[in-house]
Amino acid sequence: MSNSIMVIFPYRHQGTWMFDDERVGLVQEPFVEGMPEIIDLFVQNIPNAEKGFKLLFSAKPFPNHQAKLVWDREEDEGNWYRWDEQGLEGWLCPALYHYFSKAPSELYCKAEVIEL
């Protein structure tokens, strides 16, 4: 059984939001096609978020989640998700399958400050 809540630590590098996850072999994996705008809203109240922040995500709701992204469609081996409350959509590349065996119908997310 895998974790029900996952965590990654995105950061901005040369103007692009990306993340590393040694556990699944990802290094400087970029967020593209609408996801940077979604992340910008996630982190608008996190000081120095571009240096790194904690992003919690799950296919199931969890207390105080910040956003519910709803699966919309598959394209180019990735998946489009909508954030209806903000009128935004973003594409998640096949790296999503490192965390889920299939694209979840919903993704619940929350950005937090990294506690040192």
Side-chain angles (χ1 to χ4, degrees):
M1 182 174 183
S2 63
N3 290 357
S4 61
I5 299 177
M6 275 69 70
V7 63
I8 56 174
F9 298 90
Y11 55 91
R12 195 183 289 276
H13 178 69
Q14 295 185 354
T16 301
W17 285 111
M18 52 184 57
F19 70 98
D20 305 326
D21 192 340
E22 294 176 6
R23 297 169 302 150
V24 297
L26 297 172
V27 177
Q28 292 188 341
E29 183 68 31
F31 288 97
V32 298
E33 295 303 322
M35 291 312 294
E37 292 80 6
I38 289 173
I39 292 171
D40 286 342
L41 283 178
F42 283 175
V43 301
Q44 64 187 348
N45 295 319
I46 296 178
N48 300 312
E50 65 279 353
K51 294 180 181 177
F53 69 95
K54 182 188 316 181
L55 180 62
L56 303 162
F57 61 100
S58 176
K60 302 284 183 194
F62 58 90
N64 299 313
H65 66 270
Q66 186 175 6
K68 173 182 163 184
L69 305 179
V70 178
W71 186 88
D72 189 62
R73 65 194 182 279
E74 184 178 1
E75 183 179 339
D76 295 329
E77 299 181 25
N79 292 275
W80 286 94
Y81 282 86
R82 294 185 327 270
W83 187 5
D84 291 332
E85 292 79 10
Q86 296 294 330
L88 296 172
E89 69 174 6
W91 183 78
L92 292 174
C93 74
L96 179 71
Y97 299 118
H98 286 288
Y99 303 96
F100 302 99
S101 58
K102 65 177 193 164
S105 60
E106 299 169 338
L107 281 174
Y108 295 85
C109 309
K110 182 179 182 184
E112 294 181 345
V113 172
I114 296 174
E115 300 292 332
L116 301 175

